[in-house]
Structure formats: structure tokens, C-alpha cells
Amino acid sequence: MLSIVPPMTQLNTPYPSTAYLTGFLRSRGVDAVQADLALELVLDLLSRDGLATLRDACEALPHKKRPHAAASFAAQYPRYAQTMAATLAFLQGRDPTLAHRIASRGFLPEGPRFESLEVYIDPEGGDPLGWAFGALGVQDRARHFATLYLNDVADAIREALDPRFEFVRYAESLAQSQPSFDPLAQALAAAPTAVDRALDRLTRAALERHRPQVVLLSVPFPGSVYAAFRIAQTVKAVNPAIVTVLGGGYANTELRELAEPRVFDFFDYVTLDAGERPLLALLDHLAGRRSRQRLVRTFLREADGDEGAGAVRYVNFAEPDVPFEEVGTPTWDGLPLDRYLSLLDMLNPMHRLWSDGRWNKLTVAHGCYWKKCSFCDVSLDYISRYDAASATVLADRIEAIVAETGQTGFHFVDEAAPPKSLRALATELRRRDLSISWWGNIRFEKSFTPELCAELADSGCIAMSGGLEVASDRLLKLMKKGVSVEQVARVTRGFADAGILVHAYLMYGFPTQTVQDTVDALEYVRQLFEHGCIQSGFFHRFACTVHSPVGLNPEEYGVTLQPLPPVTFAKNDVGFTDPTGTDHDAMGVALNKALYNYMHGIGLDEDVRSWFGGRVPKTRVPHHFIERALHG
């Protein structure tokens, strides 16, 4: 069985789903292997042959209408061809001494992305990035310049080879909440782009290398759906007898009402929720030990000769899930851990963790112990079924992963890691004298006392992320977050005082949120940055999903859902009408501009109204609110 990570996910570390499934299946005696075609595709496009193909495509564009990035790449192609292999080796950690040449800005060709450096120009003529890297930050400075360099190439690929291409999200609009399969079907039937042809070639090589009887495509996001279907298309072209299975976070959220038969021209089965039990049932079925009627959480298309031939059928034989303590230890065996690219998109020290460094991904507990937030898919398995493992089991898994990978950095990818479990794990790590570095996601609840924060830091915790969301006590109560702004301030300051970086997930556009609410929220955030409670954050626009409490009971939140068209494919986001009439798009521009500056220490002493383009009300938040909360 071959599990594949389809493009695109992230470039600095493997997406963990195939590692989880491969480790579990091997623990049950299944011959399981894995491949990361997302990484392989990017490295192929950046190879000497890939760059030559890109140059030809850029030069084929009309000269007078040639887009900026494509024109820049074509003009500087010899430099790109000369420097790319060495730069990739540097980003992979195989040639660190190259940092000095890259940092000098005399080695790499510079395209439009380098124009962003102008915002850091020092009016006194000094080092424009000295505030970020200092006199000795050569490695980080070089990694940042190399990241801009790769982003210039990605822009050229998008302009000349495939307009849907991105390093992280690929053809996302074809799959995100698409009620009809038609846009995706049309794209899959169209003549392949150069990116498609590269993916086809890499898929064929993986099939030849592993010769699987079953291929699993784990799709976490809409931005990896198109490529997953392209891979399945190639698999069926090579050998129609190979069984193809689609699963992962995207299927779990958006394909729960799947009724589109054409999906099964590419995939034989689509499974929902935690994959362990459905896969065991499917393997038993393929081996003749289980009837089709006893599959678990699986969509299939009725075959010719069956009643309802051609129709999509959902089969869910009642069977308990595999307990979290018994899912085994993830394995990265077979993935090229020395070829992932440590990038530095954002200079902020906390924000960079998502793209910089190769982290071993691990889960402390399945699901969420809170599972009440009204914006969250609390009705779905990945949230609603809470199942924790003991500290002993978790530490055993950590030791096994370190022994396998030789790397001691861990990212705990929980929905919200429970404080009780983290305390027990910290105690167990100290008892075993295990030295690791780790970070994760939590709820900013009062259980995270300064004492616990210190314990977690002592066990290796370097950073925490959590949801402050709307930064409004009224709206936090409406969304049943279970925290207050004062509480978040005290908890985050406890982490910061322990030397742990803090990232806040922030939200705007929640039902009944007014312009006044938004201005007040930004003032709370400004004060949290000003007092060192948080070091990083991200504002995202609230999206109502059909599986959330807002989507299930909109009247309780003062909104009216907009009718959805007939759905046969993806169903997740749903539009709504909010009687407040706030222009959240305009608010979002201001919020993200302010937040970007706050993360770089800029503008913290300015009135928050200065970030908004038009007239907005004065904040109602007392100027010393957070300071008083911290000392209250």
C-alpha cells in the first residue's frame, strides 16, 4: 500500500497524515510505504530541466505583455540556472557556508519579490534589516533572501506555466466549497500544463518504484485536491486494477454529502474521519474477508449489474474506532527528510515556525476536550471525539521518532492540547531526561498558570498558539469560547515570562460584529503586543460552515443563511446575511496591515484608528486595560 502526500502542502516538513497511516498500518502487519509528491514536484520544477522549461515558456509570452515576474526570470535566467542547485542545498541544510554569499545580495538574481525589502529602508543609510537579524544573523538573512528568490520563481511559474500554481495552495478554487464537480472535471479533462506533466511523470516513477496494489491519497486542504485527482488519473492510466482511495481533512469536512459519480472515475473509495478503522475494513474487503456491506465510513459507486448501478452509496457498518493509544507511532521512513526546504517568509520569530525547520508532527490527543466554540466544526469526528493517550505512550512515541529521524523538534498538531496532558507529558519527559524542543496549539484557559508555563518551558516548550478570535468579551461569550480578554492577557503573559513565544489566532466578521467591535478588538491586540503578551498573530475572516453551531442554528447568532445550490460534490462554507451590514472586507485590510506592523514592532504607540482608511469610531477600550488585567 502506497500513501501519497499530493501537492501542495508545505515545503519545510512532511504533512503528517501519511506518516500516521503508514506507522499504524505497519503496526497491523500491512506492507505500507509513503511518498511526498508535493516536495518532489517542487524540486522537479526547480531542477535545471525544470528551469529551462520555465525559461522557454516565459520567452514564448508576448514581449510587450510579458508579466513582471516572467520577464524578470527570463532576463536573469542564466543566473537562476547557475545558483538554484546551490541555494536549494543551503535551504536543505546541506551547505550552510553559502549563507555568506547569499546574504551579501551579490549572489542571487533579484526579481519583484525583493521590492518588499524597500519597506525596511533605514533613513540613516544603515542596514535595512538590521533590526531583524542584527550583525550576526547571516544564516537567517540568507534564508530570507533565498525565500524571496524562490517566490520570484513561483510567480514566474504561475504567469508562464500554470496560473493555478502556488507553493502552498494549488488550484484551491477548483475544490473549496464547490457544490458541483464540473470545474474540477473540466480542469482534469483539459490539456495538461507543464506542471501537470511533471506530476504525471513523478507519479509514474513512484508507481514503478513501489508497485502498489492500493494507493491512498490523503488530502488535507482544498489546495491539494486538484493534484490528488491528477495523481489518481495517472494511476488509473498506468493500471486500472490499482485501488485508489481518497481521504483526509478535505474529505472529512467537504465531502460528507458526496453524490457525484464522476469522482469514482478517479477513486474507487472515499473514506471519512479517522482513517484507521475504515482502512482496516477496506483491506479486509479487498482480501475477501469482509463484504462490501461491512465497510466503515466509506463512499463507493455501485457497479454495473447492482441495483442502482452508477449511483454513489455510503456504507457505514457500526464498528468502534481504534483507540488513540493503539494507533501506533508515526513513521517518516521513506520520506526524504534531508531534502525539505527551511524557508523564512515572515521575519517574526514566532510566525516563522510554520515554514522554517523540519518538525516531527505528533498529536497529544485526538479531538478537542472543549468542543463548544460556535465557529468550529464541533459536530465532526476530528473535533467531537476526544480521546487522549497517556504520557507514557506519548513519550514512547517521541523516543521512537527521535531514534528514527535523528531530530528532536516536535510540533504538536492538536486542535487544542489539554493542559492536564501537557503537564503529565512534561513530567514524563523530565523523568526520562528527554531533551526535545516542542510547540503546539492550546486554548488560553486559566489552567495554564505561570507555574505550569514554567514547567512546560523546562520540558522544551518554545512556542504556543491559541485562539483569541474576536478579542471582544461580548463576542467571545456569543461564540462560547470560554475565555475572556483579561484571562487571555494573563495566560499569554505567563507563557511570555517563561520564555515561550505566543501566537494568537484572530478573527473578524463574526455574526453581529460591528465596526466599533472591530476597532475595540484591534486596540486589545495592540495592547497585548505592547505589553509583550503575544509576539505573533493572524487575522482571518470568519467563514460559516454547515457543520458549526452557527451553520446549524443561525437564528441563535442573529444571522440568516443564504440558500445553497444543489450540492453533489463539496459542501462546507455557507454564506449568511448579517443585519449589522459591516463592510468586513475593508476592516480586514486595516486589521492585517496593523497586525503585520505590530509583529515587526511598528506602530504600537499609534491610535488604532490610523490603520483604517475612513472614519471609524474611537475605541471604547481603556488605554491601560491590559496593564491593569496583568496586575489585577
Side-chain angles (χ1 to χ4, degrees):
M1 177 177 292
L2 170 62
S3 297
I4 293 177
V5 178
M8 304 298 286
T9 51
Q10 57 190 123
L11 299 180
N12 64 306
T13 197
Y15 193 78
S17 57
T18 64
Y20 288 178
L21 290 175
T22 302
F24 168 73
L25 291 170
R26 288 184 180 180
S27 74
R28 297 302 178 99
V30 177
D31 183 10
V33 294
Q34 58 189 324
D36 188 344
L37 293 192
L39 177 67
E40 289 188 34
L41 176 63
V42 168
L43 294 180
D44 186 87
L45 294 172
L46 299 178
S47 67
R48 182 168 288 274
D49 288 344
L51 294 178
T53 299
L54 177 57
R55 173 204 57 196
D56 294 344
C58 290
E59 292 180 343
L61 296 172
H63 187 77
K64 291 185 178 180
K65 297 183 179 179
R66 193 173 294 171
H68 195 11
S72 175
F73 178 84
Q76 301 185 83
Y77 166 73
R79 293 277 305 285
Y80 280 102
Q82 176 189 355
T83 57
M84 181 59 75
T87 303
L88 292 178
F90 165 70
L91 290 172
Q92 291 165 337
R94 295 186 288 114
D95 191 4
T97 57
L98 188 65
H100 298 275
R101 293 196 68 191
I102 295 176
S104 73
R105 296 188 66 179
F107 178 67
L108 298 179
E110 296 188 1
R113 291 286 186 142
F114 282 80
E115 294 171 5
S116 65
L117 297 179
E118 294 177 6
V119 303
Y120 305 119
I121 294 299
D122 186 339
E124 298 180 0
D127 180 1
L129 291 179
W131 65 272
F133 302 120
L136 299 177
V138 174
Q139 290 289 327
D140 283 348
R141 185 189 301 263
R143 190 174 291 115
H144 182 54
F145 292 157
T147 301
L148 295 175
Y149 161 89
L150 290 190
N151 285 335
D152 272 326
V153 178
D155 291 343
I157 292 172
R158 186 164 50 256
E159 292 175 355
L161 292 181
D162 190 333
R164 301 163 301 205
F165 181 80
E166 299 228 15
F167 275 152
V168 177
R169 300 176 182 88
Y170 182 26
E172 183 178 56
S173 63
L174 294 175
Q176 188 169 29
S177 296
Q178 278 283 4
S180 171
F181 188 65
D182 287 347
L184 192 53
Q186 291 164 8
L188 293 166
T193 66
V195 177
D196 294 331
R197 291 192 293 273
L199 184 57
D200 176 87
R201 176 166 37 79
L202 293 170
T203 301
R204 291 174 184 272
L207 295 176
E208 178 64 28
R209 187 163 63 248
H210 297 293
R211 298 188 177 277
Q213 295 177 313
V214 179
V215 172
L216 308 179
L217 275 297
S218 181
V219 179
F221 315 116
S224 53
V225 172
Y226 170 76
F229 274 81
R230 276 290 187 187
I231 291 169
Q233 188 178 52
T234 298
V235 172
K236 289 302 184 184
V238 170
N239 182 357
I242 297 176
V243 175
T244 51
V245 186
L246 175 67
Y250 173 81
N252 298 343
T253 54
E254 303 219 14
L255 300 186
R256 303 194 76 85
E257 299 179 30
L258 180 63
E260 174 55 71
R262 290 176 291 175
V263 169
F264 297 89
D265 293 338
F266 303 86
F267 292 98
D268 297 291
Y269 303 95
V270 177
T271 67
L272 298 183
D273 300 329
E276 290 85 4
R277 183 60 69 192
L279 286 177
L280 290 181
L282 179 58
L283 291 174
D284 278 348
H285 169 62
L286 296 176
R289 296 189 295 266
R290 177 185 288 247
S291 70
R292 191 170 55 178
Q293 288 71 33
R294 295 180 68 243
L295 291 174
V296 177
R297 296 195 300 273
T298 300
F299 286 102
L300 51 83
R301 182 171 60 185
E302 295 287 12
D304 292 341
D306 290 340
E307 184 178 349
V312 177
R313 179 184 171 199
Y314 182 60
V315 183
N316 186 16
F317 182 76
E319 201 162 329
D321 275 295
V322 177
F324 185 63
E325 286 216 348
E326 299 176 15
V327 297
T329 300
T331 177
W332 282 264
D333 179 48
L335 298 179
L337 298 185
D338 60 341
R339 301 184 70 200
Y340 287 88
L341 306 171
S342 286
L343 305 178
L344 188 46
D345 281 308
M346 179 70 77
L347 304 182
N348 179 275
M350 170 70 197
H351 214 92
R352 65 184 286 181
L353 292 179
W354 277 273
S355 64
D356 184 18
R358 202 206 71 73
W359 302 94
N360 298 311
K361 306 277 189 176
L362 193 62
T363 306
V364 174
H366 180 280
C368 177
Y369 65 94
W370 178 250
K371 53 189 173 189
K372 295 179 183 178
C373 298
S374 57
F375 57 84
C376 197
D377 291 340
V378 295
S379 63
L380 300 185
D381 176 80
Y382 79 99
I383 298 291
S384 64
R385 183 170 61 85
Y386 176 67
D387 185 10
S390 69
T392 301
V393 168
L394 291 173
D396 287 345
R397 290 173 181 172
I398 288 170
E399 285 190 316
I401 291 168
V402 171
E404 178 186 284
T405 66
Q407 294 171 319
T408 60
F410 284 81
H411 179 196
F412 296 148
V413 292
D414 298 72
E415 296 301 319
K420 182 178 179 180
S421 295
L422 290 178
R423 183 191 294 273
L425 177 59
T427 300
E428 184 65 14
L429 291 174
R430 289 195 301 272
R431 189 186 71 80
R432 299 190 188 195
D433 289 329
L434 275 177
S435 296
I436 67 169
S437 301
W438 63 270
W439 57 293
N441 189 58
I442 59 167
R443 294 180 64 253
F444 292 133
E445 63 168 73
K446 59 185 179 182
S447 299
F448 287 105
T449 62
E451 293 75 21
L452 177 54
C453 294
E455 287 183 48
L456 299 182
D458 187 53
S459 74
C461 180
I462 59 171
M464 281 294 195
S465 61
L468 174 55
E469 316 307 350
V470 286
S472 159
D473 284 338
R474 177 183 75 83
L475 293 174
L476 284 169
K477 184 176 181 181
L478 181 62
M479 63 171 51
K480 301 177 183 176
K481 186 68 184 176
V483 299
S484 67
V485 176
E486 286 190 11
Q487 179 178 309
V488 170
R490 288 190 286 268
V491 170
T492 53
R493 184 56 185 268
F495 280 115
D497 287 346
I500 296 171
L501 296 170
V502 181
H503 174 90
Y505 290 111
L506 300 159
M507 181 187 296
Y508 66 98
F510 192 75
T512 72
Q513 184 172 5
T514 64
V515 172
Q516 182 71 68
D517 290 326
T518 305
V519 173
D520 291 347
L522 186 57
E523 174 61 16
Y524 283 128
V525 170
R526 185 196 68 80
Q527 292 186 29
L528 288 168
F529 272 99
E530 181 183 38
H531 290 283
C533 298
I534 60 177
Q535 291 73 47
S536 172
F538 182 78
F539 268 111
H540 68 276
R541 174 75 176 266
F542 167 76
C544 181
T545 67
V546 295
H547 310 293
S548 69
V550 177
L552 295 171
N553 304 291
E555 66 283 353
E556 295 182 11
Y557 301 89
V559 297
T560 303
L561 299 186
Q562 298 172 4
L564 287 171
V567 175
T568 58
F569 186 52
K571 181 180 180 181
N572 192 40
D573 292 0
V574 56
F576 63 93
T577 302
D578 188 335
T580 60
T582 305
D583 184 354
H584 294 299
D585 289 336
M587 296 291 101
V589 171
L591 293 172
N592 282 299
K593 182 179 180 180
L595 191 62
Y596 182 86
N597 282 275
Y598 292 167
M599 286 193 291
H600 295 95
I602 301 170
L604 289 171
D605 56 351
E606 296 182 14
D607 189 316
V608 294
R609 289 177 291 178
S610 65
W611 301 108
F612 297 88
R615 289 178 60 86
V616 296
K618 182 180 180 180
T619 179
R620 299 170 301 189
V621 179
H623 192 69
H624 299 291
F625 180 89
I626 295 299
E627 182 180 3
R628 290 169 181 163
L630 294 175
H631 297 98

